[in-house]
């Protein structure tokens, strides 16, 4: 049996036992994986992959594809060449290609479709974004799932939640809300106001951890002044929660070890960084940081403390609003912007305009079907890589387990381009990987872990300049809550964003009286699209839901980005619904 690590964009970073005939099983001895994998990896070999390169629809050899890519790179101005990387594979070696494009003086799309608004907020308060692993959460008494849905997105957290008092804060009735002691079915976009309201009440009830506030935080008094200036009515209205629910929440957490697990739902808004800062502020008032079983955990910075082997300086453009049409040559790796980026109509307009679109990926999708040149990638079993996880501290080796003649690794593509342009070659894959591991790892009970986690997260220090936790003292919310529905997106079990098995329904609340397969049209200022309906009793009456990766998921999402973090803000809008006869 040989071992590797799941490459996918997921909290769990599973350790995989691979048999001789490439059957994949969860590693039983791994403390997080505990012997099981999810749908994607259990069915990994059943998903068709791109097997041959093609140019303008015609199959070409890999050598021809590479020659064409070099020729195009030489034809077009580097300043009119765009590098765009998605998150189809989170291995460290995925970044290798960036080295060539930076050297070539191309423009790099920089920012995120995912978690960076929240990450920016966490970094402002704590200086670095560290996670609470399932092993840490196991020690909690109470777990608050704040816009995070572990049943779907983080299934290896589930064993740690057994027997805990659960509190769910989510506009949707997620599966775990059934077992929860309290479910606050919050209005979308209301989390900042709920968090600040809770801070106000924690102060009024004198539930603060005074020692922690005195020793470990910087500007608590200013924060108290700041939140006292916000009318209570406003906090209640914006979050649409009632005081009974808040009272119950405070009763449930009082004197308990509390872990707050935050997902991306809370920050898909222009002020996403401030939402995380507000939730963090609550954590700090309660003194949750640096203690067993306690803390606030978001999608962490997996590379924190490690050297970044492909760190480059280059001209960049904000990724969520990048205009593909401004470029002659667009190189897209490991992503599907025609489905996953906000405002599909704008993305399509840009892609249609670019002279040459190159897609370097594993599966066919909306983007590969529009690309001029398609280059198949190797799967994670066929190349050398390393996975650092955003949901725990274990380092995941990903050795090459099998030879394949089907595609190219990111490393091999980079080396080929560096050579074609006469630039300095990369050092060997193995030495890059070992250098990253050596930069911040330690062995514990037979496993390699990130050295940063030898202590509890934030036990000794925060990573801000002051070394202390820094409270927010302002936020900027100029969203106009117009009529219509919130359109929220969640992940689903059988897909990883647009990879694997996607689902096309628009889920609607029962109050609309619609029936399954009824057709409706949604409209807002960004566009208009038709959907087949699936009624659901899990939604608030003011919410519609579509899964990430569904066709048309982004027809109506804003061509805009967050105030901090260059992040997409998928839910900063409302939609009107009409039935199509
Ligand atoms: N099976 C599976 N697993 C995945 C993925 C996948 O596609 N499929 N994707 C991976 C990726 S890329 C990521 S980033 C993570 C994301 O992991 P999560 O953050 O857990 O995923 P989401 O489903 O996007 O959102 C979680 C919850 O946020 C809620 N939500 C939406 N808007 C709001 C709001 O305004 N306030 C509050 N309080 N809650 C809100 C949603 O209803 C949803 O239940 O999951 C990863 N894991
Ligand atoms: N409306 C809406 N849109 C969203 C979201 C949402 O919640 N709502 N969620 C957003 C989030 S959180 C994220 S992370 C993004 C994800 O958006 P993308 O990064 O576009 O992710 P995927 O749709 O998973 O596409 C990944 C592609 O990577 C390719 N791939 C897989 N493995 C490899 C590899 O080893 N090498 C190469 N070269 N390619 C590979 C596959 O072919 C696959 O098609 O989507 C965002 N889009
Ligand atoms: S996608 Fe997540 S849960 Fe599934 S095998 Fe990979 S790391 Fe594990
Ligand atoms: Mo994501």
């Amino acid at each position: 049996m040989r071992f590797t690590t799941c490459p996918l964009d997921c909290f769990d970073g599973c350790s995989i036992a691979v048999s001789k005939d490439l059957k994949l099983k969860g590693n039983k001895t791994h403390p997080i994986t505990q012997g099981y994998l999810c749908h994607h990896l259990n069915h990994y070999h059943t998903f068709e992959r791109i097997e041959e390169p093609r140019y303008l629809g015609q199959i070409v050899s890999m050598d021809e594809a590479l020659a064409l890519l070099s020729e195009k790179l030489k034809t077009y101005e580097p300043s009119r060449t765009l590098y765009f990387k998605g998150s189809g594979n989170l291995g460290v070696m995925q970044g290798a290609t960036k080295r060539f494009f930076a050297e070539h003086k191309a423009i790099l799309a920089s920012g995120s479709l995912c978690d960076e608004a929240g990450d920016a907020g966490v970094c402002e308060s704590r200086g670095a974004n560290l996670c609470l692993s399932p092993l840490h959460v196991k020690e909690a008494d109470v777990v608050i799932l704040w816009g995070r849905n572990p049943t779907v997105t983080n299934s290896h957290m589930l064993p740690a939640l057994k027997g805990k008092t659960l509190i769910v804060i989510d506009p949707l009735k997620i599966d775990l809300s059934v077992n929860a002691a309290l479910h606050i079915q919050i209005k979308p976009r209301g989390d900042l106001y709920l968090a600040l309201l809770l801070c106000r009440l924690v102060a009024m009830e004198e539930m603060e951890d005074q020692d922690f506030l005195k020793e470990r935080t910087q500007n608590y008094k200013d924060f108290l002044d700041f939140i006292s200036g916000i009318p209570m009515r406003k906090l209640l209205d914006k979050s649409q929660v009632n005081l009974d629910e808040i009272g119950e929440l405070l009763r449930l957490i009082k004197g308990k070890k509390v872990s707050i697990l935050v997902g991306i739902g809370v920050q898909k808004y222009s002020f996403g960084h401030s939402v995380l800062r507000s939730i963090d502020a609550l954590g700090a008032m309660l003194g949750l940081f640096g203690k067993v079983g306690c803390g606030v955990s978001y999608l962490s910075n997996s590379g924190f403390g490690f050297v970044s082997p492909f760190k480059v300086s280059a001209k960049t453009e904000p990724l969520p609003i990048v205009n593909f049409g401004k470029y002659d040559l667009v190189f897209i790796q490991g992503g599907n912007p025609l489905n996953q980026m906000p405002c599909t109509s704008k993305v399509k307009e840009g892609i249609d305009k670019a002279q040459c679109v190159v897609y370097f990926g594993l599966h066919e999708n909306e983007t590969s079907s529009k690309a001029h040149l398609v280059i198949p990638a190797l799967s994670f079993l066929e190349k050398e890589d390393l996975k650092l996880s955003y949901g725990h501290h274990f380092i995941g080796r990903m050795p090459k387990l099998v030879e394949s003649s089907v595609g190219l690794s990111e490393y091999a593509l980079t080396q080929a381009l560096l050579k074609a342009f006469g630039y300095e070659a990369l050092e060997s894959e193995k030495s890059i990987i070992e250098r990253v591991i050596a930069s911040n790892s330690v062995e514990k009970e037979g496993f390699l872990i990130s050295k940063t986690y030898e202590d509890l997260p934030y036990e000794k220090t925060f990573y801000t300049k002051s070394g202390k936790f820094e409270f927010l003292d302002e936020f900027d919310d100029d969203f106009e809550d117009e009529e219509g529905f919130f359109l929220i997106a969640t992940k689903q079990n059988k897909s990883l964003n647009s990879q694997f098995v996607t689902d096309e329904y628009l889920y609607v609340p029962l109050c609309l009286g619609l029936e399954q397969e009824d057709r409706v049209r949604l409209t807002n200022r960004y566009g208009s699209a038709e959907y087949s309906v699936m009624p659901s009793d899990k939604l608030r009456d003011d919410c519609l839901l579509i899964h990430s990766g569904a066709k048309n998921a982004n027809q109506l999402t804003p061509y805009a980005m967050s105030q901090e973090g260059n992040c997409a803000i998928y839910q900063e809008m409302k939609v009107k619904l009409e039935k199509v006869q």
Side-chain angles (χ1 to χ4, degrees):
M1 204 61 91
R2 292 161 305 164
F3 293 92
T4 185
T5 307
C6 174
L8 297 177
D9 187 343
C10 170
F11 291 93
D12 295 355
C14 286
S15 170
I16 306 174
V18 186
S19 66
K20 275 223 165 67
D21 55 355
L22 295 187
K23 284 220 171 73
L24 310 179
K25 289 245 156 66
N27 178 355
K28 287 195 179 125
T29 66
H30 193 276
I32 306 289
T33 309
Q34 297 189 28
Y36 68 97
L37 304 174
C38 73
H39 168 271
H40 324 309
L41 271 280
N42 284 333
H43 299 88
Y44 194 73
H45 298 302
T46 66
F47 301 108
E48 269 183 45
R49 55 192 279 203
I50 306 176
E51 300 207 342
E52 280 164 312
R54 59 176 193 267
Y55 181 61
L56 303 177
Q58 302 293 312
I59 289 173
V60 295
S61 71
M62 191 58 91
D63 285 344
E64 286 166 331
L66 283 175
L68 277 161
L69 178 57
S70 294
E71 183 199 311
K72 298 289 175 195
L73 283 160
K74 285 176 180 157
T75 306
Y76 299 116
E77 276 294 309
S79 65
R80 291 180 59 88
T81 295
L82 178 76
Y83 170 84
F84 181 105
K85 187 165 93 60
S87 62
N89 176 330
L90 289 192
V92 168
M93 295 302 288
Q94 289 287 307
T97 41
K98 203 164 70 178
R99 258 289 297 281
F100 166 78
F101 284 90
E103 195 102 47
H104 185 58
K105 303 250 178 312
I107 312 298
L108 311 187
S110 156
S112 150
L113 300 179
C114 180
D115 60 338
E116 293 284 330
D119 178 80
V122 170
C123 290
E124 285 172 8
S125 296
R126 312 183 212 157
N129 180 1
L130 309 184
C131 67
L132 305 179
S133 81
L135 303 180
H136 182 105
V137 175
K138 214 166 79 185
E139 306 298 325
D141 304 316
V142 180
V143 179
I144 304 184
L145 300 171
W146 200 323
R148 175 142 146 200
N149 185 12
T151 318
V152 172
T153 63
N154 184 196
S155 57
H156 293 79
M157 184 59 88
L158 296 176
L161 303 181
K162 282 222 174 90
K164 309 285 181 235
T165 302
L166 292 183
I167 298 174
V168 172
I169 303 174
D170 198 305
L172 198 67
K173 287 184 186 132
I174 58 169
D175 287 354
L176 286 167
S177 57
V178 179
N179 313 33
L182 175 68
H183 176 200
I184 297 184
Q185 206 168 355
I186 192 171
K187 181 178 176 181
R189 221 180 171 283
D191 305 276
L192 176 141
Y193 299 98
L194 172 60
L196 295 185
L197 183 58
L198 285 165
C199 289
R200 279 280 284 275
L201 292 166
V202 164
M204 279 158 71
E205 304 274 318
E206 296 181 4
M207 279 171 70
E208 310 102 308
D209 183 333
Q210 293 294 355
D211 291 342
F212 180 88
L213 288 169
K214 209 160 111 212
E215 283 155 30
R216 306 258 350 241
T217 72
Q218 183 157 56
N219 51 343
Y220 178 54
K221 286 271 165 320
D222 296 341
F223 174 68
L224 273 189
D225 288 346
F226 162 60
I227 56 173
S228 313
I230 309 170
M232 209 67 161
R233 191 71 260 157
K234 180 172 174 185
L235 297 175
L236 283 163
D237 284 350
K238 291 271 191 182
S239 51
Q240 284 190 3
V241 292
N242 63 53
L243 283 171
D244 289 347
E245 290 172 313
I246 306 255
E248 179 63 1
L249 192 152
L250 293 180
R251 192 187 65 77
L252 289 168
I253 63 173
K254 193 165 187 174
K256 297 285 200 267
K257 285 190 275 178
V258 182
S259 285
I260 305 180
L261 305 181
V262 189
I264 60 168
V266 303
Q267 55 94 64
K268 293 176 177 178
Y269 308 104
S270 58
F271 65 169
H273 71 294
S274 300
V275 180
L276 261 293
R277 288 203 82 182
S278 308
I279 296 172
D280 265 3
L282 175 66
M285 282 182 79
L286 296 167
L288 299 183
F289 292 100
K291 294 183 186 150
V292 173
C294 298
V296 184
S297 184
Y298 179 57
L299 294 82
S300 72
N301 173 1
S302 56
F304 182 76
F306 293 90
V307 297
S308 317
F310 307 115
K311 199 163 181 195
V312 294
S313 68
K315 267 203 174 154
T316 60
E317 273 233 42
L319 184 143
I321 53 166
V322 73
N323 177 0
F324 292 108
K326 249 176 61 185
Y327 297 91
D328 294 326
L329 177 56
V330 174
F331 179 89
I332 297 168
Q333 173 189 317
N336 183 14
L338 265 168
N339 175 290
Q340 293 295 121
M341 252 178 92
C343 203
T344 306
S345 57
K346 270 261 196 273
V347 179
K348 186 168 176 304
E349 196 184 302
I351 293 272
D352 284 345
K353 224 162 137 191
Q355 303 287 312
C356 180
V357 175
V358 182
Y359 172 81
F360 179 34
L362 209 55
H363 309 295
E364 300 288 4
N365 56 31
E366 287 85 346
T367 309
S368 69
S369 73
K370 283 271 177 187
H372 302 91
L373 177 62
V374 174
I375 303 179
L378 286 175
S379 88
F380 74 108
L381 299 166
E382 302 158 348
K383 57 195 175 195
E384 297 285 342
D385 213 329
L386 173 71
K387 177 90 179 278
L388 304 170
S389 162
Y390 60 78
H392 59 70
H393 47 270
F394 291 87
I395 292 171
R397 287 187 178 275
M398 300 168 79
K400 174 174 170 175
L401 297 179
V402 61
E403 282 295 338
S404 164
S405 54
V406 165
L408 212 56
S409 71
E410 289 65 28
Y411 177 84
L413 183 104
T414 310
Q415 289 289 60
L417 291 175
L418 290 170
K419 190 167 172 208
F421 282 75
Y423 300 137
E424 193 186 330
L426 296 170
E427 59 189 303
S428 77
E429 287 166 288
K430 286 213 164 93
S431 70
I432 295 171
I433 289 167
E434 293 310 323
R435 191 156 59 83
V436 175
I437 294 176
S439 66
N440 194 42
S441 67
V442 60
E443 204 176 308
K444 209 173 165 191
E445 291 158 21
F447 291 93
L448 267 183
I449 66 161
S450 158
K451 222 177 184 162
T452 310
Y453 290 83
E454 272 188 299
D455 305 314
L456 296 175
Y458 313 104
E459 186 179 7
K460 298 223 168 103
T461 187
F462 287 98
Y463 300 82
T464 50
K465 271 211 185 94
S466 61
K468 298 196 168 182
F469 181 93
E470 298 183 7
F471 286 94
L472 79 161
D473 54 13
E474 58 173 4
F475 67 87
D476 181 7
D477 180 3
D478 54 11
F479 181 66
E480 283 183 26
D481 197 350
E482 43 192 28
E483 254 184 63
F485 296 87
F486 288 100
L487 177 57
I488 62 179
T490 60
K491 311 298 183 194
Q492 60 115 342
N493 267 326
K494 293 197 171 163
S495 79
L496 202 296
N497 297 311
S498 75
Q499 296 189 76
F500 313 121
V501 186
T502 56
D503 149 42
E504 309 303 346
Y505 284 112
L506 176 76
Y507 295 81
V508 298
L510 300 182
C511 67
L512 294 182
L514 292 166
E515 288 180 21
Q516 186 175 337
E517 307 300 339
D518 276 353
R519 297 285 293 170
V520 297
R521 168 169 290 281
L522 300 188
T523 313
N524 70 2
R525 77 181 87 146
Y526 303 104
S528 159
E530 279 190 26
Y531 301 85
S532 288
V533 151
M534 178 69 82
S536 164
D537 61 1
K538 299 192 160 57
L539 291 163
R540 286 169 56 103
D541 288 351
D542 59 358
C543 288
L544 309 173
L545 168 79
I546 191 160
H547 289 134
S548 174
K551 197 166 115 230
N552 288 347
N554 280 306
Q555 296 289 349
L556 305 159
T557 46
Y559 182 72
M561 65 175 183
S562 55
Q563 292 161 7
E564 299 293 332
N566 284 9
C567 188
I569 47 174
Y570 294 100
Q571 291 176 193
E572 189 84 341
M573 49 95 187
K574 288 185 124 178
V575 297
K576 297 239 159 64
L577 176 147
E578 62 185 315
K579 193 167 172 195
V580 178
Q581 297 306 333

